[in-house]
Amino acid sequence: MMRIISVLLAAVLALPLAAQTNDELVTSFVLDNGMQVVVVEDHRAPVVQHMVWYRAGSADEPKGSSGVAHFLEHLLFKATDTLASGELSATVAANGGRDNAFTSYDYTAYFQRIAADRLELMMRMEADRMTNIRLTERDIVTERQVIIEERNQRTENNPRSLFNEQMNATMYLNHRYGTPIIGWMHEMETLDMDDALGFYGTYYAPNNAILVVSGDVDPAEVRRLAEQYYGAIPANPALPERLRTEEPPHRAARRLVFADARVAQPYVSRSYLAPERDPGDQEKAASLVLLAEVLGGGTTSFLAEKLQFDTQVAVYTGAFYNGTALDDTTFDMVVVPAAGVTLEQAEAAMDAAVAEFIETGVEPEQLDRIKMQLRASEIYARDDVDRIANRYGRALASGLTVADVQDWPRVLQEVTGDDIVAAARAVIRPEASVTGWLMQAEEAIQ
């Protein structure tokens, strides 16, 4: 089996890069009202993914109203001028499709995956709730309780989630990325009709939205339908400029200890402030993607080799970076100590291993293998209309362009070992770090 996998990956590596990643049939245009439309053709199956992305997420919320972006996402499944509460999802299901929505720091997205001949129906319903949502006080009370219970289940009842929330809040001194997407509980409890409709009226407009359609579609037909349903909605002339509070220079390393009796496995977490992918300038971000893979991307990574196998001070190691963000993001590392190893010892071993990596650099064979895996991943992603639409939508809603998305595979492949080490030196700086210890409550008392 391993030999078969190796042969397949070797075949992937041998393909020209353009043949692997850059021959997607992409059409992009802008409606008269400012709505951006991206169509990615894939005619292998009669399926379509229809997505509307709003350039508004939790980092765009007014201060004191944390959680309103996610709250509004829930409320958009209620009634409109033409649809009863819950009718949109019921209609999608009755036509054999699935729908959902999600909120992040930089965007809120709504999607339906359905048979290609149902695209017009999806556009008609989605365009309707872009402008015609009709809420009642009962909707507000009901959905507010739903999101509060969601926070209770996913955050309050999970010490790791609480720990990660504190890590983010400690990292960002002035930026809204330090506020949880779901919101702070005390602010969620006060969200009301005015908060929801205020956010809706400000940001839910065609000139703040991106329509991404992927699958078995004809771009000319998508344009016709988009102009008919979305093009009829007027732009918001008062749409505010997308300005964010900026982080001041980070001049001091920060630390926190989070103790909870429910913790089953203590671990060390380290975050560094890191640059995001920028339009036309993705090289630094690409180097950080490769750094995360080389340093902590699985059992063959540098941290795993040093800490899990050579010294056996850890049972798990990892490094993570996601540069698709509008503003500065983080580069993160995690070390779970082995039995009998303290968090202090695990942290010291992590620091020693990272310092050694920066001095010794990247093994060419490892870098080639990771690049080959990335190439394969790009190819496999094209078999899923959901992943295709998400790749473009997340990028465009985070300030990137279609050209950036198409150029990204090439940028990744051109990263060198020296680029990776340079990225490590630039980002792995104590003054830009937050170190956290997650431990059991009784450990903190001792």
Side-chain angles (χ1 to χ4, degrees), residues 419-435:
D419 293 333
I420 294 172
V421 172
R425 292 184 186 277
V427 168
I428 299 177
R429 300 178 297 115
E431 64 271 21
S433 72
V434 176
T435 304

Side-chain angles (χ1 to χ4, degrees), residues 67 70-71 73-75 100-103 142-158 161 165 181-183 185 188:
H70 175 246
F71 184 39
E73 175 213 311
H74 279 242
L75 291 169
N100 213 326
F102 49 87
T103 304
T142 300
E143 288 308 313
R144 185 171 58 213
Q145 190 55 46
V146 168
I147 63 171
I148 287 173
E149 183 57 29
E150 184 177 336
R151 181 179 169 91
N152 280 331
Q153 291 181 356
R154 296 185 179 182
T155 306
E156 302 295 340
N157 291 333
N158 187 335
S161 295
E165 189 175 81
I181 294 169
I182 198 168
M185 180 68 85
M188 295 168 63

Side-chain angles (χ1 to χ4, degrees), residues 320-331:
F320 313 95
Y321 170 77
N322 181 2
T324 307
L326 191 64
D327 300 309
D328 281 349
T329 182
T330 59
F331 184 92

Side-chain angles (χ1 to χ4, degrees), residues 195-274:
D195 293 321
L197 292 182
F199 200 80
Y200 180 71
T202 299
Y203 294 110
Y204 279 57
N207 52 323
N208 196 45
I210 305 158
L211 170 64
V212 181
V213 180
S214 62
D216 187 20
V217 291
D218 173 57
E221 178 65 6
V222 173
R223 181 190 283 269
R224 184 187 72 80
L225 293 174
E227 289 176 343
Q228 178 180 348
Y229 292 104
Y230 294 110
I233 303 172
N236 177 12
L239 181 69
E241 187 177 354
R242 202 172 192 189
L243 297 175
R244 301 277 183 80
T245 53
E246 296 184 9
E247 277 294 287
H250 285 208
R251 296 191 171 98
R254 278 154 268 163
R255 304 184 64 86
L256 67 93
V257 174
F258 189 90
D260 193 303
R262 299 169 295 178
V263 172
Q265 177 62 71
Y267 62 85
V268 178
S269 180
R270 172 78 58 70
S271 294
Y272 296 92
L273 197 66

Side-chain angles (χ1 to χ4, degrees), residues 35 46-54 76-77 80 82-83 86-100 110-131 211-214 217 221-222 224-226 228-230 233:
M35 187 175 190
V47 177
V48 65
Q49 177 102 341
H50 171 266
M51 303 192 78
V52 172
W53 299 73
Y54 293 96
L76 251 71
F77 289 87
T80 70
T82 62
L83 296 169
E87 185 179 351
L88 187 151
S89 293
T91 302
V92 174
N95 281 272
R98 58 181 290 265
D99 75 314
N100 213 326
Y110 302 81
F111 72 89
Q112 301 87 34
R113 184 172 184 176
I114 201 162
D117 61 358
R118 303 296 196 275
L119 177 61
E120 181 172 5
L121 175 61
M122 299 303 105
M123 281 203 191
R124 182 167 68 242
M125 294 191 297
E126 194 67 76
D128 183 37
R129 69 173 170 182
M130 179 183 284
T131 188
L211 170 64
V212 181
V213 180
S214 62
V217 291
E221 178 65 6
V222 173
R224 184 187 72 80
L225 293 174
Q228 178 180 348
Y229 292 104
Y230 294 110
I233 303 172

Side-chain angles (χ1 to χ4, degrees), residues 100 113 193 291 442:
N100 213 326
R113 184 172 184 176
M193 180 78 78
L291 174 62
E442 56 268 25

